[in-house]
Amino acid sequence: MNRQQYYSDLFRQLSVPSEEPLRQQYFIDKLRIFMFGLPPKYTIPVDSEELASAKPLVRRTACVSTFGCQMNARDSEKLSGILQEIGYEIIEDEKADFVLYNTCTVRENANMRVYGRLGVLNGYKKKNDQMLIALCGCMMQETQVVEKLKKSYRFVDLIFGTHNLYKFAELLSDRIDSGEMVIDIWKDTTQIVEDLPVDRKYPFKSGVNIMFGCNNFCSYCIVPYVRGRERSRRPMDIIREIENLVADGVVEVMLLGQNVNSYGKNLEEPMTFAQLLQEIEKIEGLERIRFMTSHPKDLSDELIEVMANSKKICRHMHLPLQSGSSRILKLMNRRYDQERYLSLVEKLRKAIPDIAITTDIIVGFPGETEEDFEQTMEVVRKARYDSAFTFIYSKRSGTPAAAMENQVPEEVTKARFDRLLALVQEISREQTARFTGQTVPVLVEDVNDHDASLMTGRMDTNLLVHFPGDASMIGKIVNVRLDECKGFYFLGTQV
Ligand code: SF4
């Protein structure tokens, strides 16, 4: 009896666990055995040498394409990890046997891009009858999107949302067993499933989710409707994950949440974000801690103090402003005004003089007048951002702002956007130049895209630095003298 037969017979005697992650481990093993002829990894004891040397009986490739934010990028590492664990070979090319789009819906054009790409994928599928197409992420949480897919994109095999990402292996197994399109979208969840396989993009740095969802309901934002209510991971699960990452060679972590400042409120033993940072700081071997995103409404003095006294927390705060007009901030339901925001910037700069402050700004929010816009320009002049992500307001159906009157004409918004961008870039160049001549620690990330004799890395302020070096430096933190400021990055010399 061959090994596959042996494991199939044993596996058929098992019942499906109800507990997670055991239940997903069961489906991962099911697909390993029946789809790839690989020995099980979780449900049946297998000799480690046999596991390590096992080769899939069939070659199947998979490609995970990520749209949107760092939260999605981290989710995609988990989805890719599950596919790899099942037996798929992960490739970058969408001409794969399995293509998964992890979608975003924060702006209308994100949806349009996905519909456009699906047509191309269908073309590939017509040439590869083994091909499966799956869609997940924020866009799938919109009912009208799923209805449209069901009606006009019948070639899609699997659709799931943001709340049941961890169920990916089970849903894939359902699709393979039924041969039918599988759709599984949850309205919300309180569940957080730990210990799923991860296929990390970078060996030396990693995103770490500390919480999911958002309770802020900014009036223009669709995230609370697609990512659900806030739920924080337990501190010990976060710390255990980071300890494992450090043991695996990671020196920098990016703590992720829609609003990290409200971390811990739903925990049995509540813990503030600042307290969590102090615990993470204790982890031996971890050299840098980054986090995003911080909502100004609950940026605490405690957090600023912990950042100021820390040896590992990077001197960078991403603090979305969205608008400089207190009138518009009220309509946006942001729960801070211009004065409060500027006082936070002042506090941050007083406590951490060289901190880099970056932000997000929306232009053209419904009802925005020239005077409101001038207020935004005023805050940009006063806050002097190191850089800023500037966006044109995008109407998202289902959000309160979408129903507001006085939608700003496109040409007015475009003109304001150009003026804002010019000001932001002018100040960003001046701000970047303040580091000229300094010698700073740089985490080396990669060989420079344009010049192989140069390495590219990041300061703790998140600024890019290019300097002569070689690939053996990747993942290391080296000291670099910043010789020449090139506007938004530096050329330097390792010292
Ligand atoms: S804080 Fe506001 S903008 Fe950010 S995700 Fe939550 S609702 Fe959206």
Side-chain angles (χ1 to χ4, degrees):
M1 180 194 298
N2 68 26
R3 298 303 280 167
Q4 190 194 12
Q5 193 54 53
Y6 167 72
Y7 290 126
S8 319
D9 294 350
L10 275 181
F11 190 85
R12 283 198 184 90
Q13 293 155 33
L14 300 176
S15 54
V16 185
S18 55
E19 286 293 303
E20 297 292 3
L22 294 178
R23 185 178 176 86
Q24 297 317 308
Q25 291 166 350
Y26 168 95
F27 286 105
I28 289 172
D29 273 356
K30 178 182 174 188
L31 295 166
R32 283 176 64 86
I33 296 168
F34 295 97
M35 215 177 152
F36 288 90
L38 285 166
K41 255 194 156 170
Y42 299 99
T43 52
I44 300 166
V46 176
D47 170 71
S48 58
E49 261 173 51
E50 181 186 349
L51 257 181
S53 61
K55 294 269 176 297
L57 298 182
V58 290
R59 177 175 182 260
R60 290 264 189 285
T61 56
C63 171
V64 178
S65 293
T66 306
F67 299 79
C69 66
Q70 294 200 37
M71 298 280 284
N72 256 16
R74 181 59 181 163
D75 288 344
S76 290
E77 290 185 337
K78 292 175 186 161
L79 295 163
S80 192
I82 292 168
L83 285 166
Q84 210 170 39
E85 194 92 321
I86 289 170
Y88 279 96
E89 183 189 326
I90 306 296
I91 61 173
E92 298 291 314
D93 183 346
E94 291 190 358
K95 284 200 188 86
D97 299 308
F98 188 96
V99 175
L100 171 60
Y101 277 4
N102 186 7
T103 64
C104 166
T105 192
V106 85
R107 268 172 288 285
E108 186 60 22
N109 58 13
N111 288 22
M112 291 309 122
R113 275 178 58 208
V114 169
Y115 290 128
R117 291 293 311 162
L118 281 175
V120 177
L121 291 185
N122 192 24
Y124 298 156
K125 190 170 181 176
K126 287 190 177 122
K127 296 194 186 91
N128 173 2
D129 59 8
Q130 298 287 331
M131 185 178 182
L132 295 173
I133 298 171
L135 301 170
C136 70
C138 295
M139 184 180 162
M140 298 308 123
Q141 292 291 137
E142 297 181 86
T143 318
Q144 73 277 13
V145 166
V146 176
E147 287 314 311
K148 181 172 177 166
L149 292 166
K150 273 202 293 196
K151 196 155 150 274
S152 320
Y153 296 81
R154 297 292 312 161
F155 57 85
V156 171
D157 299 283
L158 173 57
I159 300 174
F160 57 109
T162 56
H163 303 309
N164 56 348
L165 227 86
Y166 69 87
K167 265 187 80 181
F168 179 32
E170 179 173 351
L171 296 171
L172 177 54
S173 169
D174 292 353
R175 164 60 189 79
I176 288 164
D177 290 352
S178 68
E180 302 290 322
M181 176 193 260
V182 169
I183 300 177
D184 191 13
I185 308 286
W186 298 2
K187 270 264 150 291
D188 209 338
T189 183
T190 54
Q191 200 164 14
I192 295 176
V193 174
E194 301 285 348
D195 302 323
L196 291 170
V198 176
D199 171 24
R200 246 192 5 260
K201 192 162 179 211
Y202 301 97
F204 52 85
K205 67 175 181 176
S206 181
V208 174
N209 299 103
I210 63 167
M211 62 187 296
F212 304 91
C214 184
N215 292 355
N216 289 319
F217 290 94
C218 301
S219 61
Y220 53 83
C221 184
I222 199 159
V223 171
Y225 306 93
V226 293
R227 285 269 176 186
R229 296 294 63 69
E230 282 171 12
R231 52 207 192 278
S232 299
R233 292 176 67 198
R234 296 178 304 172
M236 64 191 205
D237 293 327
I238 296 169
I239 287 160
R240 183 164 53 86
E241 180 181 352
I242 298 175
E243 285 167 346
N244 292 340
L245 288 169
V246 170
D248 204 24
V250 164
V251 294
E252 178 182 294
V253 291
M254 167 65 88
L255 307 178
L256 297 169
Q258 305 296 351
N259 173 22
V260 293
N261 294 351
S262 57
Y263 171 80
K265 291 188 176 146
N266 69 312
L267 293 171
E268 266 157 39
E269 291 157 39
M271 175 187 270
T272 66
F273 180 50
Q275 290 163 340
L276 177 70
L277 283 171
Q278 288 175 303
E279 292 306 312
I280 293 172
E281 174 113 14
K282 296 175 186 161
I283 298 174
E284 290 285 321
L286 181 66
E287 298 191 43
R288 281 185 170 180
I289 304 169
R290 296 185 183 280
F291 57 82
M292 73 188 309
T293 300
S294 274
H295 194 302
K297 82 171 177 31
D298 36 27
L299 174 56
S300 65
D301 292 349
E302 183 201 16
L303 176 58
I304 296 176
E305 196 190 329
V306 165
M307 286 183 79
N309 299 330
S310 166
K311 295 207 172 20
K312 298 184 180 182
I313 300 173
C314 292
R315 297 170 302 160
H316 174 215
M317 169 67 80
H318 187 66
L319 196 65
L321 169 72
Q322 306 300 13
S323 172
S325 154
S326 296
R327 189 184 75 84
I328 295 290
L329 287 169
K330 199 158 181 42
L331 290 171
M332 286 178 163
N333 190 29
R334 291 289 289 172
R335 281 169 281 168
Y336 56 86
D337 59 13
Q338 183 194 102
E339 197 191 340
R340 164 82 178 140
Y341 185 91
L342 286 172
S343 74
L344 290 171
V345 170
E346 204 182 316
K347 269 188 191 166
L348 279 165
R349 289 240 157 85
K350 193 153 167 268
I352 311 159
D354 250 349
I355 192 168
I357 301 180
T358 58
T359 195
D360 299 333
I361 301 174
I362 294 174
V363 180
F365 183 83
E368 183 189 73
T369 62
E370 181 53 30
E371 198 216 333
D372 292 318
F373 177 69
E374 206 27 67
Q375 293 287 312
T376 297
M377 297 288 268
E378 195 46 32
V379 171
V380 170
R381 289 187 197 98
K382 286 185 178 150
R384 297 191 59 74
Y385 295 111
D386 289 73
S387 71
F389 297 98
T390 50
F391 306 97
I392 286 183
Y393 168 73
S394 173
K395 198 172 167 178
R396 305 305 293 123
S397 58
T399 62
M404 287 180 187
E405 285 166 9
N406 305 326
Q407 301 281 331
V408 181
E410 223 172 287
E411 64 282 4
V412 174
T413 302
K414 185 71 185 69
R416 287 177 186 163
F417 180 85
D418 294 345
R419 285 159 55 196
L420 174 66
L421 195 57
L423 178 64
V424 161
Q425 290 180 339
E426 179 197 325
I427 292 173
S428 174
R429 264 190 289 276
E430 292 162 8
Q431 283 293 87
T432 304
R434 73 187 188 280
F435 294 107
T436 305
Q438 291 185 16
T439 294
V440 295
V442 169
L443 173 55
V444 186
E445 299 206 347
D446 210 344
V447 177
N448 182 282
D449 290 345
H450 310 291
D451 178 342
S453 71
L454 294 179
M455 300 306 292
T456 294
R458 282 184 192 278
M459 294 164 57
D460 73 331
T461 59
N462 214 30
L463 269 172
L464 275 177
V465 183
H466 309 291
F467 63 98
D470 64 64
S472 69
M473 295 171 166
I474 293 177
K476 297 202 175 67
I477 297 183
V478 299
N479 288 327
V480 178
R481 188 187 56 241
L482 306 176
D483 299 326
E484 194 184 346
C485 179
K486 287 287 193 181
F488 311 120
Y489 66 89
F490 277 94
L491 294 179
T493 310
Q494 187 194 358
V495 294

